[in-house]
């Protein structure tokens, strides 16, 4: 691969990281936030040096980025690329091994940057590790297939009382209700004026309603510039799809992307805004939204309230999985388990002292169970429970039904351009929901099972 193409690859890698994030803030005094800021600055300097063919400076800055933010796989991979083009064999071998430590892997033999290294005997072990880590670990089976390939699903939930699924459609701007014994129906007419892309949906069994989030986005069909101000939490009557209440957010310069919604055990409704970024809370019986903010918030995604109602966990695409104390509103970063990362997680759910997460910000995308310690402040292990890239090329959000985690396998973000146009030569596949059995309970300390 030519030098310019390699530099462009690193720039693209950085663009993907930063596109999920708000602008870098000033130093906060929070180590996880500030070290990430230091890493981003070093990463940018390294790119500039690489573009100028100053290999020594590029390697120094990229290594600094990795040292400051060792749980960011994209930076580890970027240093591996730079090591390969700089012919720094020792750093390359060490960095490819560090990437494999995350249980991630790429086809090193097929990549023109790494192919001649992959053929050398001293790289045999790390090549084999990458091969194992990218191989399918498909424990899931198909739970449901929908006929409409243009649906572009994002969020889902299930109502066990009626055995019906609710699937939020980005493209069609509606929610589809589907069941094994009943035909699929749209809860309201597709492309309805004033409705944005539907991103998240949760069943509130206590109230007999759905909670959903909608945002005006270019990816939705029929988008017009005036739609950019659409951002709302919706309360929907299940029986007829009527929107009985709507909480609209005031427009902002950055716009809103309301990525996920969750219902707490006491009936509180929480939803995340990836762009501002803010966690919103609607208390039972109230009509006003509360804002929870933190320097740790950068690109908020999935939400998982704890059963006792005292806290929730929220996935931040850039900073990892966070714990929010609902009494104080204080957010803390959950410490990663050894040889793992919680960056790049999208939809998450609570599962008996752990978090089930769809980690689509790594390659290949996967479903991971993060097991918490007794304090809820640290992950003691991270287990990949599904890696089914043949079917689940773009997993997003899921829910627990019985002892299975069922999730959207093939959303369509990467199959369209940013303005919602299907990419040339890309075939849209019918939406699939995959079900993966959940692992058994894990003893987190002697005499206590969670």
């Amino acid at each position: 691969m030519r030098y310019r193409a390699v530099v462009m690859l690193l720039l693209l890698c950085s663009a993907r990281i930063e596109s999920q994030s708000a602008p870098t803030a000033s130093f906060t005094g929070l180590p996880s936030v500030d070290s990430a800021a230091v890493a981003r600055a070093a990463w940018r300097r390294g790119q500039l040096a690489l573009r100028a063919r100053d290999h020594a400076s590029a390697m120094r800055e990229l290594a600094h980025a990795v040292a400051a933010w060792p749980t960011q796989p994209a930076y580890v991979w970027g240093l591996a690329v730079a090591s390969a083009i700089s012919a720094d064999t020792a750093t390359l071998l060490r960095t490819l091994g560090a990437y494999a430590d995350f249980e991630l892997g790429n086809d090193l033999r097929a990549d023109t940057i790494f192919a001649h290294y992959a053929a050398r005997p001293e790289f045999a072990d790390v090549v084999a590790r990458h091969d194992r880590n990218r191989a399918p670990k498909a424990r899931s089976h198909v739970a449901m297939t929908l006929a409409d390939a243009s649906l572009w699903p994002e969020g889902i939930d299930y109502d066990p009382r009626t055995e019906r699924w609710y699937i939020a459609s980005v493209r069609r701007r509606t929610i589809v209700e589907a069941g094994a014994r009943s035909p699929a129906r749209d809860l309201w007419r597709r492309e309805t004026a004033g409705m944005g892309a539907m991103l998240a949906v949760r069943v509130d069994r206590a109230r007999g309603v759905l909670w959903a989030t909608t945002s005006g986005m270019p990816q939705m069909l029929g988008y017009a510039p005036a739609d950019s101000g659409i951002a709302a939490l919706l309360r929907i009557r299940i029986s007829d799809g009527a929107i009985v209440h709507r909480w609209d957010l005031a427009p902002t310069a950055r716009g809103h992307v309301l990525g996920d919604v969750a219902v707490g055990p006491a009936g509180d409704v929480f939803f995340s805004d990836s762009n501002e970024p803010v966690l919103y809370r609607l208390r039972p019986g109230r009509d006003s939204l509360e804002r929870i903010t933190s320097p740790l918030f950068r690109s908020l995604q999935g939400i998982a309230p704890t059963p006792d109602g005292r806290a929730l966990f929220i996935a931040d695409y850039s900073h990892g999985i966070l714990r929010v104390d609902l009494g104080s509103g204080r957010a803390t970063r959950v410490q990663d388990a050894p040889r793992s990362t919680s960056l790049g997680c999208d939809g998450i759910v609570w599962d008996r002292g752990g978090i089930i997460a769809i980690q689509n910000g790594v390659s290949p995308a996967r479903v991971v169970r993060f097991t918490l310690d007794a304090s809820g402040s640290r992950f003691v292990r991270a287990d990949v429970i599904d890696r089914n890239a043949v079917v689940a090329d773009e997993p997003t959000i899921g829910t627990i039904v019985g002892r299975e985690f069922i999730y959207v396998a093939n959303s369509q973000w990467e199959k369209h351009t940013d303005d919602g146009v299907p990419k040339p030569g890309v075939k849209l596949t019918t939406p699939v929901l995959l079900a993966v059995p959940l692992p058994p309970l894990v003893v987190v300390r002697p005499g206590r099972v969670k």
Side-chain angles (χ1 to χ4, degrees):
M1 181 179 287
R2 294 180 303 150
Y3 188 91
R4 177 179 173 80
V6 173
V7 173
M8 291 306 296
L9 176 65
L10 279 173
L11 292 174
L12 177 60
C13 180
S14 176
R16 286 176 175 169
I17 296 167
E18 297 302 325
S19 70
Q20 299 291 340
S21 311
T24 301
S26 57
F27 287 109
T28 65
L30 296 174
S32 58
V33 177
D34 294 342
S35 61
V38 168
R40 291 187 185 101
W43 175 260
R44 286 190 289 271
R45 292 192 299 269
Q47 292 174 47
L48 292 174
L50 196 61
R51 187 182 295 176
R53 304 197 181 209
D54 181 354
H55 289 184
S57 296
M59 288 293 294
R60 182 175 63 253
E61 294 293 353
L62 296 177
H64 185 188
V66 170
W69 200 0
T71 60
Q72 174 53 278
Y75 285 1
V76 176
W77 183 252
L79 179 58
V81 172
S83 300
I85 65 174
S86 301
D88 186 339
T89 305
T91 301
L92 174 60
L93 188 59
R94 183 175 65 253
T95 308
L96 289 176
Y99 191 81
D101 285 346
F102 295 120
E103 205 170 336
L104 299 172
N106 289 295
D107 189 348
L108 301 178
R109 298 182 192 86
D111 193 317
T112 55
I113 300 172
F114 301 105
H116 74 280
Y117 294 103
R120 293 165 59 168
E122 64 268 34
F123 282 82
D125 180 66
V126 76
V127 169
R129 291 180 64 200
H130 275 247
D131 288 344
R132 286 194 300 270
N133 290 348
R134 66 187 179 86
K137 191 175 185 178
R139 301 177 61 245
S140 54
H141 61 89
V142 174
M144 174 170 283
T145 300
L146 299 170
D148 186 359
S150 71
L151 192 63
W152 193 328
E154 174 71 1
I156 62 164
D157 206 5
Y158 180 74
D159 189 343
R161 300 169 304 174
T162 61
E163 299 182 337
R164 291 175 181 172
W165 289 96
Y166 295 91
I167 302 101
S169 171
V170 172
R171 187 69 168 160
R172 295 297 187 172
R173 303 157 67 177
T174 190
I175 294 174
V176 175
E177 180 189 74
R181 293 186 289 274
S182 58
R185 67 164 180 139
D186 298 336
L187 291 190
W188 56 82
R189 183 175 55 85
R190 297 182 175 199
E191 294 92 60
T192 295
M195 297 301 297
M198 300 306 302
L199 297 175
V201 59
R202 289 296 178 194
V203 175
D204 186 339
R205 284 178 280 178
R207 297 181 178 96
V209 300
L210 300 177
W211 297 96
T213 57
T214 184
S215 298
M217 305 175 71
Q219 291 87 350
M220 68 193 202
L221 198 61
Y223 175 82
D227 295 328
S228 63
I230 297 173
L233 171 71
L234 307 178
R235 177 172 169 162
I236 304 160
R237 190 164 55 223
I238 294 178
S239 59
D240 59 1
I243 298 171
V244 296
H245 202 106
R246 176 170 175 149
W247 289 262
D248 288 285
L249 301 185
T252 65
R254 286 182 56 82
H256 301 282
V257 177
L258 307 183
D260 205 358
V261 65
V263 181
D268 299 78
V269 178
F270 303 93
F271 64 100
S272 58
D273 186 339
S274 301
N275 267 18
E276 278 202 285
V278 172
L279 172 65
Y280 288 92
R281 179 181 190 176
L282 178 65
R283 296 179 188 264
R286 305 277 184 89
D287 195 44
S288 58
L289 299 174
E290 300 176 19
R291 291 165 51 96
I292 301 174
T293 61
S294 169
L296 279 166
F297 294 174
R298 189 174 173 90
S299 179
L300 299 180
Q301 307 296 327
I303 307 166
T306 59
D308 61 11
R310 296 180 180 178
L312 61 76
F313 292 86
I314 187 164
D316 187 284
Y317 219 72
S318 293
H319 287 154
I321 294 179
L322 315 175
R323 185 183 187 275
V324 178
D325 181 279
L326 294 176
S328 65
R330 180 173 178 264
T332 54
R333 191 185 188 282
V334 182
Q335 183 181 339
D336 288 318
R339 298 162 66 97
S340 74
T341 181
S342 62
L343 272 64
C345 291
D346 194 347
I348 65 172
V349 296
W350 173 267
D351 177 46
R352 306 164 303 162
I355 300 294
I356 306 296
I358 293 178
Q359 197 170 25
N360 55 23
V362 300
S363 180
R366 58 200 189 173
V367 180
V368 181
R369 188 184 195 279
F370 295 100
T371 301
L372 287 155
D373 69 357
S375 71
S377 63
R378 181 174 64 93
F379 293 127
V380 295
R381 58 185 295 162
D383 299 291
V384 176
I385 62 173
D386 202 39
R387 188 172 59 227
N388 195 350
V390 174
V391 181
D393 58 345
E394 291 187 70
T396 52
I397 295 176
T399 189
I400 291 179
V401 179
R403 291 309 305 147
E404 291 186 317
F405 177 69
I406 302 181
Y407 65 97
V408 173
N410 56 337
S411 192
Q412 298 177 354
W413 295 98
E414 295 299 321
K415 300 178 181 69
H416 293 78
T417 63
D418 289 343
D419 56 2
V421 177
K423 293 180 179 178
V426 173
K427 181 181 178 181
L428 300 181
T429 55
T430 56
V432 174
L433 305 184
L434 287 181
V436 56
L438 292 174
L441 291 168
V442 175
V443 177
V444 294
R445 73 182 188 193
R448 180 166 180 175
V449 176
K450 299 193 77 176

